[in-house]
C-alpha cells in the first residue's frame, strides 16, 4: 500500500486520509467462482465438445494457467507489465513515466497501467477516461492484490481480456482465431493474443488484418528486447500472415451436449463419456451419407461399450443446423416402429423356453393365428426352414409363430429388463404384431437391448455422463434379458449374416429392420466390446420408398465398425455346453419347433397313418440265391401320412436310421418271415403294421 499511496498523493493530489477512506469503502472484489463463464461440455479425455455463451452472452470459456502455453504469459508480461511480480498492484515507476510523458507531449504516450489495474477495469466493465476513474482503478488494483495471489490475478486476466465482438478470454480467442486450444501456440499466435486486447475491435483479424499484424509485430519486437524470444524467431513470426478467417466454436455431439445441459442446468462443466475423435469421424461419415439421400432424409447413430455401458458416440442428426433435414430433432431419442429388429429376442425366448433350437425346423407358410395373418416382406414363402435360416432371412411368419408360443407380454417384459421403454397404442394390449414392429421404441432403446444380447443376456445401463447427470437413486438388482445360453445361440445366428467388407473388418453380429411403409431403416450390430445402432429415415415419419435396413443402414453400420479400428474386440469362444448344442444332433422332440403352426395342421394331417403296406399283408420281394446266401431283389417300402415331424422308425423293435422328415421307409430285409414296423411322431402318436415277407 505504501508505493500506491505515495503515487496517489503525489500525482493525483489526494490526501492520505482520503485515500485510506476511499480504499476502506471499496466493495470486496468478486470471487473467481462467481464470474459468468460459458458452460462447456467435455469428452471422456476432457477435450472440448461444445460451449454455450455465458449469461451475459459472451464466449468466455473457463481456463487454467497451466492450460495456456507459457510463451503467451511470458510475452504478456514483457509487453504489459514486466514488474508484475514485484509491485503491489500499481507500478509507481511506470505510472510516473506515463504522467510525465503525457504532460510533455500533450497526449498519452504510454499507459502505465499494470495487469492488475487492467483486471480491475475489466471487472468493472467500464472505461477509465477520467482522472477520477483512474484513481478508483488504482485503489481497486491494490484491493485485488490484497485479496488474490498473483496467479489468480493472471487467471482473471486470461478469463476476461477482450478479443473482439463477444469474445473474452484467451481460450475463446485461441479457438476462434486459430481453431485450437491455447495449450500449444506458435510465436506469432502468442504475440497476436497479447496484442488484440489493447484495441480489440480496431485490430480484429477478420476485419482489420493489417492493423492486427502491425500490433502483433510490436509485441514480437518487445519480446526480443525482453529476451523472451530470439531475433530469428521474431523475424520468422513477423513474416507469417494473420489468419483472417474466424472459426466457429466447436459443435461436436451437439444433441448429447444439449441434453446434458438440460438434465443438469446448474452445472458449469459437463463431463461426457463421448470420444471426441470417434464422434467427429462419425459426424463426418453421417454428413457424407446424408448428402447421398434425398432431403429431408436424415440418420442417427449410437455406439456404446456394452461392457461398461459408456456411450462413446451419439449423433441425433448429421447436422444440428440443417433445417431442411430437421437437424434439431434428436432421432436417437425419437420413438419409431422398430420393424424386424425385435426378432432376435423372440428367438432367444423360444430357445430359452425350449420351443426350439437353432437347428429346429419350422414351416414358413401362410398363417392365420386368431385372425392375424402376417406375410413376409417379399410376399413369398420358403417352406420348411431351420430357425437359424428363418432368423437370418428375417421371415415374418416363423417369428409370429414363435411369439405366439412364448407370449407377447413376456417379450415386452424382457425389453423392459433391458432398459427399453416400449410404447403401445393407448388402451391396447401387446399383440402378435409387435413381432413385426407394432410398437414404438427409440434407437437408444434398441441399442441398449442389443447391448444386453451382446453381454450374454445381462442388461447394461447406457450412460453418457462421466459424472451422473441426475441424482442416483437406490440400485435395483437387474434381471437377465435372456439366459446366457439363449443369448449366445442368437448371437451365433446373427454373426452368420453376410459380412460386408469382410476382408477389412472382423465379423459382427447384426440384424436389420424396416418399418411399415418404408418409414424407418434400422441396423444394429455388436462385437466383443461395442454395440452400434443406425437409423435412417425422415424425421417427420413420412415414407421413403425403397428404403430398407439391409440396403440403406447396413453399409453405414459396417462403416461405423471400421471407424472403431483397433479398439474392437472379437467375440469370446462359445461356452462348452452351447458349442456342443450347436454342433450336436437335434433332440427328437425339438426337430420341429414346438409352435401351433407346426402342431395345428388339418385334422387329416394330425392322424398318423401307415398307408402302405396294409397290416397283415404278405409281400413277395423276390427272394433269390446269391453269393452271400439268399437275398431279396426288392426293398420293403413303408409309406405313411399325417402326424408331426420329425418321425422315429422302429423295425422289429430296433431304431432304424432314416430321414426323420420323410414320410416313407425304404428297408432291405435280410431274411424272410414276419416283420413289425412302428412309426412315432414328435407329438407322441404312433402307428404299426405287421407283414410277412417272402
Amino acid at each position: 500500500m505504501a508505493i500506491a499511496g505515495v503515487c496517489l498523493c503525489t500525482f493525483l493530489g489526494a490526501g492520505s486520509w482520503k485515500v485510506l477512506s476511499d480504499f476502506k469503502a471499496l466493495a470486496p472484489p468478486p470471487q473467481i467462482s462467481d464470474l459468468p463463464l460459458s458452460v462447456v461440455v467435455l469428452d471422456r479425455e476432457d477435450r472440448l465438445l461444445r460451449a454455450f455463451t455465458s449469461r451475459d452472452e459472451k464466449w468466455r470459456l473457463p481456463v487454467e494457467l497451466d492450460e495456456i502455453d507459457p510463451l503467451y504469459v511470458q510475452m504478456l508480461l514483457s509487453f504489459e507489465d514486466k514488474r508484475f511480480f514485484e509491485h503491489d498492484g500499481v507500478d509507481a515507476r511506470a505510472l510516473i513515466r506515463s504522467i510525465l510523458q503525457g504532460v510533455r507531449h500533450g497526449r498519452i504516450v504510454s499507459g502505465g497501467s499494470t495487469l492488475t489495474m487492467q483486471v480491475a477495469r475489466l471487472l468493472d466493465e467500464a472505461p477509465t477516461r477520467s482522472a477520477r476513474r483512474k484513481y478508483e482503478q488504482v485503489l481497486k488494483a491494490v484491493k485485488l492484490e490484497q485479496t488474490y495471489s498473483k496467479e489468480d490475478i493472471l487467471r482473471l486476466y486470461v478469463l476476461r481480456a477482450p478479443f473482439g465482438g463477444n469474445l473474452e478470454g484467451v481460450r475463446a480467442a485461441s479457438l476462434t482465431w486459430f481453431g485450437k486450444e491455447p495449450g500449444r501456440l506458435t510465436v506469432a499466435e502468442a504475440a497476436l493474443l497479447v496484442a488484440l486486447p489493447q484495441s480489440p475491435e480496431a485490430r480484429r483479424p477478420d476485419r482489420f488484418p493489417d492493423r492486427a499484424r502491425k500490433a502483433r509485430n510490436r509485441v514480437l519486437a518487445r519480446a526480443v528486447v525482453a529476451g523472451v524470444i530470439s531475433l530469428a524467431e521474431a523475424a520468422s513470426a513477423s513474416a507469417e500472415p494473420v489468419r483472417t478467417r474466424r472459426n466457429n466454436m466447436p459443435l461436436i455431439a451437439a444433441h448429447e451436449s444439449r441434453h446434458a445441459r438440460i438434465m443438469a442446468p446448474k452445472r458449469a462443466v459437463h463431463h461426457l463419456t463421448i470420444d471426441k475423435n470417434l464422434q467427429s469421424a462419425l459426424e463426418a461419415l453421417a454428413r457424407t451419407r446424408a448428402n447421398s439421400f434425398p432431403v429431408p432424409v436424415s440418420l442417427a447413430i449410437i455406439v456404446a461399450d456394452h461392457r461398461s455401458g459408456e456411450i462413446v458416440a451419439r449423433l441425433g442428426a448429421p447436422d444440428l443446423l440443417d433445417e431442411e433435414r430437421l437437424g434439431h430433432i434428436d432421432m436417437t431419442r425419437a420413438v419409431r416402429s422398430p420393424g424386424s429388429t425385435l426378432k432376435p429376442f423372440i428367438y432367444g425366448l423360444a430357445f430359452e423356453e425350449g420351443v426350439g433350437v437353432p437347428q429346429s425346423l419350422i414351416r414358413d407358410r401362410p398363417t392365420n393365428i386368431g385372425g392375424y395373418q402376417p406375410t413376409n416382406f417379399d410376399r413369398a414363402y420358403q417352406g420348411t426352414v431351420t430357425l437359424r435360416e428363418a432368423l437370418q432371412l428375417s421371415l415374418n411368419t416363423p417369428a409370429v409363430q414363435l411369439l405366439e408360443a412364448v407370449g407377447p407380454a413376456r417379450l415386452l417384459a424382457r425389453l423392459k429388463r433391458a432398459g427399453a421403454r416400449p410404447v403401445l397404442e393407448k388402451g391396447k394390449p401387446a399383440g402378435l404384431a409387435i413381432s413385426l414392429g407394432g410398437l414404438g421404441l427409440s434407437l437408444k432403446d434398441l441399442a441398449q437391448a442389443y447391448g444386453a444380447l451382446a453381454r450374454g443376456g445381462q442388461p447394461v445401463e447406457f450412460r453418457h455422463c462421466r459424472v451422473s447427470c441426475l441424482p442416483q437413486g437406490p440400485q435395483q438388482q437387474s434381471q437377465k434379458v435372456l439366459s446366457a445360453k439363449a443369448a449366445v445361440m442368437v448371437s451365433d445366428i446373427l454373426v452368420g449374416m453376410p459380412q460386408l467388407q469382410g476382408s477389412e473388418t472382423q465379423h459382427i453380429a447384426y440384424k436389420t429392420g424396416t418399418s411399415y411403409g418404408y418409414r424407418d431403416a434400422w441396423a444394429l450390430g455388436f462385437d466383443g466390446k461395442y454395440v452400434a445402432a443406425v437409423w435412417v429415415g425422415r424425421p417427420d415419419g413420412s415414407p421413403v420408398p425403397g428404403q430398407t435396413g439391409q440396403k440403406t443402414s447396413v453399409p453405414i453400420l459396417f462403416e461405423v465398425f471400421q471407424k472403431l479400428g483397433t479398439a474392437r474386440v472379437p467375440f469370446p469362444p462359445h461356452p462348452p455346453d452351447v458349442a456342443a448344442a450347436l454342433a450336436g444332433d437335434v433332440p427328437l422332440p425339438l426337430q420341429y419347433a414346438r409352435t401351433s403352426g407346426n402342431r395345428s395342421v388339418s385334422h387329416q394331417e394330425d392322424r398318423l397313418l401307415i398307408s402302405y403296406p396294409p397290416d397283415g399283408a404278405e409281400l413277395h420281394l423276390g427272394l433269390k440265391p446269391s453269393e452271400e446266401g439268399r437275398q431279396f431283389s426288392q426293398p420293403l417300402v413303408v409309406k405313411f401320412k399325417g402326424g408331426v415331424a420329425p418321425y422315429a422308425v422302429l423295425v422289429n423293435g430296433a431304431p432304424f436310421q432314416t430321414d426323420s422328415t420323410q414320410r416313407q421307409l425304404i428297408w432291405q430285409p435280410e431274411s424272410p418271415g414276419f416283420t413289425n414296423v412302428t412309426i412315432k411322431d414328435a407329438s407322441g402318436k404312433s402307428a404299426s403294421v405287421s407283414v410277412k415277407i417272402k
Side-chain angles (χ1 to χ4, degrees):
M1 183 65 186
I3 296 177
V6 170
C7 294
L8 290 174
C9 293
T10 303
F11 298 106
L12 299 178
S16 59
W17 64 270
K18 174 63 174 171
V19 174
L20 292 173
S21 176
D22 291 342
F23 183 80
K24 291 179 179 179
L26 289 176
Q31 295 294 314
I32 297 178
S33 58
D34 293 335
L35 293 178
L37 301 179
S38 294
V39 172
V40 294
V41 184
L42 308 178
D43 85 332
R44 63 193 302 110
E45 296 182 9
D46 289 335
R47 295 171 294 192
L48 183 64
L49 295 172
R50 185 180 182 182
F52 300 85
T53 54
S54 61
R55 295 192 305 270
D56 52 352
E57 299 300 321
K58 298 290 180 64
W59 290 113
R60 190 186 296 120
L61 279 63
V63 67
E64 299 294 337
L65 288 178
D66 60 5
E67 296 171 335
I68 300 173
D69 194 318
L71 177 62
Y72 163 79
V73 177
Q74 294 170 23
M75 282 191 172
L76 175 68
L77 296 179
S78 71
F79 190 77
E80 293 286 2
D81 194 349
K82 61 184 179 182
R83 286 183 287 275
F84 174 71
F85 287 102
E86 300 170 15
H87 62 67
D88 56 359
V90 179
D91 187 341
R93 283 182 284 176
L95 189 58
I96 293 171
R97 183 184 66 248
S98 174
I99 294 173
L100 291 177
Q101 288 177 341
V103 171
R104 185 180 307 118
H105 296 280
R107 60 183 176 85
I108 297 176
V109 177
S110 61
S113 292
T114 62
L115 274 179
T116 312
M117 293 169 65
Q118 293 183 48
V119 169
R121 174 175 56 81
L122 293 172
L123 293 176
D124 276 350
E125 297 186 346
T128 54
R129 295 178 181 175
S130 67
R132 177 67 187 177
R133 293 291 299 164
K134 195 73 173 180
Y135 164 68
E136 292 174 352
Q137 184 186 113
V138 168
L139 293 182
K140 290 178 179 179
V142 176
K143 191 75 170 179
L144 280 170
E145 291 277 352
Q146 291 188 350
T147 305
Y148 293 120
S149 67
K150 291 289 187 180
E151 287 72 20
D152 283 340
I153 293 170
L154 272 175
R155 185 183 173 205
L156 283 167
Y157 180 84
V158 300
L159 284 172
R160 292 303 300 264
F163 287 90
N166 64 342
L167 292 178
E168 285 194 5
V170 170
R171 189 179 184 190
S174 182
L175 289 166
T176 301
W177 300 124
F178 313 137
K180 66 180 184 180
E181 295 282 1
R184 293 181 65 87
L185 300 171
T186 66
V187 173
E189 289 169 346
L192 183 61
L193 292 182
V194 172
L196 290 181
Q198 304 307 309
S199 188
E201 291 301 326
R203 297 175 180 175
R204 280 184 55 164
D206 58 337
R207 295 180 181 176
F208 309 104
D210 191 55
R211 293 179 187 174
R213 181 183 58 81
K214 290 178 179 178
R216 177 200 67 185
N217 291 350
R218 286 194 293 271
V219 174
L220 291 170
R222 187 78 63 84
V224 172
V225 173
V228 175
I229 59 175
S230 67
L231 189 60
E233 288 175 317
S236 176
S238 297
E240 289 186 22
V242 171
R243 300 176 190 175
T244 59
R245 185 177 67 87
R246 177 172 175 148
N247 298 284
N248 293 324
M249 281 291 170
L251 188 59
I252 303 169
H255 296 89
E256 203 68 352
S257 298
R258 180 181 66 187
H259 182 73
R261 189 183 184 193
I262 291 172
M263 297 302 290
K266 295 183 179 180
R267 188 169 292 168
V269 180
H270 298 269
H271 299 271
L272 301 189
T273 59
I274 297 293
D275 183 304
K276 181 179 180 179
N277 292 340
L278 177 63
Q279 181 77 26
S280 298
L282 295 186
E283 289 184 6
L285 167 64
R287 286 191 292 270
T288 300
R289 281 291 187 170
N291 289 335
S292 67
F293 301 143
V295 174
V297 174
S298 184
L299 64 93
I301 300 172
I302 291 179
V303 182
D305 183 337
H306 59 69
R307 301 185 302 185
S308 66
E310 293 182 344
I311 296 174
V312 294
R314 182 171 184 168
L315 54 142
D319 187 348
L320 176 74
L321 305 179
D322 188 342
E323 295 182 1
E324 289 186 313
R325 298 184 193 273
L326 302 181
H328 63 281
I329 299 177
D330 183 354
M331 294 307 300
T332 66
R333 292 179 168 86
V335 175
R336 307 294 286 247
S337 166
S340 297
T341 58
L342 298 185
K343 287 177 181 175
F345 302 95
I346 297 172
Y347 281 74
L349 280 172
F351 299 154
E352 183 179 307
E353 295 295 318
V355 174
V357 293
Q359 305 96 307
S360 296
L361 298 171
I362 193 168
R363 293 182 177 90
D364 176 38
R365 63 184 182 184
T367 302
N368 187 332
I369 303 177
Y372 181 56
Q373 303 179 49
T375 59
N376 286 326
F377 187 79
D378 59 3
R379 306 282 179 176
Y381 297 92
Q382 302 297 316
T384 301
V385 295
T386 65
L387 293 186
R388 177 183 295 274
E389 293 169 332
L391 179 53
Q392 290 178 340
L393 294 172
S394 197
L395 302 177
N396 288 346
T397 57
V400 173
Q401 293 176 54
L402 292 174
L403 183 59
E404 185 205 19
V406 300
R410 183 169 295 169
L411 174 62
L412 281 184
R414 297 304 178 90
L415 291 175
K416 291 177 181 177
R417 286 186 187 181
R421 299 179 179 179
V423 177
L424 297 171
E425 189 175 347
K426 191 173 182 179
K428 290 190 176 181
L432 297 178
I434 67 174
S435 61
L436 309 182
L439 77 169
L441 288 169
S442 69
L443 187 67
K444 189 258 185 180
D445 287 333
L446 287 170
Q448 193 156 294
Y450 273 75
L453 187 59
R455 287 163 52 90
Q458 188 67 41
V460 56
E461 182 180 358
F462 283 178
R463 66 182 189 278
H464 67 275
C465 294
R466 283 186 284 154
V467 179
S468 178
C469 297
L470 293 173
Q472 293 294 297
Q475 296 294 316
Q476 297 182 350
Q477 186 68 29
S478 58
Q479 294 179 293
K480 282 204 165 191
V481 176
L482 289 172
S483 70
K485 186 175 183 179
V488 174
M489 284 182 169
V490 172
S491 299
D492 184 75
I493 294 174
L494 297 184
V495 83
M497 295 285 287
Q499 300 289 313
L500 303 187
Q501 304 156 338
S503 61
E504 301 175 28
T505 184
Q506 303 172 39
H507 281 201
I508 64 172
Y510 73 94
K511 181 69 181 76
T512 65
T514 306
S515 67
Y516 177 77
Y518 302 97
R519 287 172 169 81
D520 307 277
W522 308 87
L524 296 105
F526 55 88
D527 62 8
K529 181 177 181 180
Y530 293 106
V531 59
V534 175
W535 169 89
V536 178
R538 288 180 52 148
D540 61 7
S542 300
V544 183
Q547 168 188 270
T548 66
Q550 183 66 41
K551 182 173 69 176
T552 308
S553 298
V554 166
I556 300 175
L557 179 71
F558 273 81
E559 286 186 277
V560 168
F561 274 94
Q562 280 191 315
K563 298 295 183 186
L564 289 167
T566 57
R568 294 187 55 199
V569 173
F571 291 101
H574 290 336
D577 61 328
V578 179
L582 291 172
D585 295 331
V586 182
L588 187 63
L590 292 179
Q591 289 189 346
Y592 262 81
R594 298 175 176 180
T595 67
S596 61
N598 285 325
R599 294 191 301 269
S600 300
V601 290
S602 68
H603 178 70
Q604 187 66 27
E605 268 191 319
D606 196 40
R607 295 180 58 195
L608 179 61
L609 299 173
I610 296 178
S611 55
Y612 178 84
D615 188 36
E618 290 188 3
L619 303 177
H620 295 270
L621 302 181
L623 184 65
K624 62 181 181 179
S626 68
E627 295 180 0
E628 292 81 13
R630 293 189 302 172
Q631 67 177 26
F632 294 99
S633 60
Q634 301 177 39
L636 171 64
V637 177
V638 178
K639 296 182 178 181
F640 52 95
K641 60 183 179 180
V644 179
Y647 303 99
V649 178
L650 301 176
V651 177
N652 295 327
F656 182 82
Q657 295 298 321
T658 186
D659 188 338
S660 61
T661 64
Q662 298 297 315
R663 289 187 171 89
Q664 73 173 12
L665 162 69
I666 300 177
W667 174 60
Q668 187 69 50
E670 295 181 355
S671 60
F674 286 95
T675 296
N676 183 269
V677 177
T678 300
I679 310 296
K680 292 185 177 182
D681 75 352
S683 65
K685 297 182 179 65
S686 64
S688 299
V689 293
S690 181
V691 296
K692 185 176 182 181
I693 299 174
K694 293 183 177 181

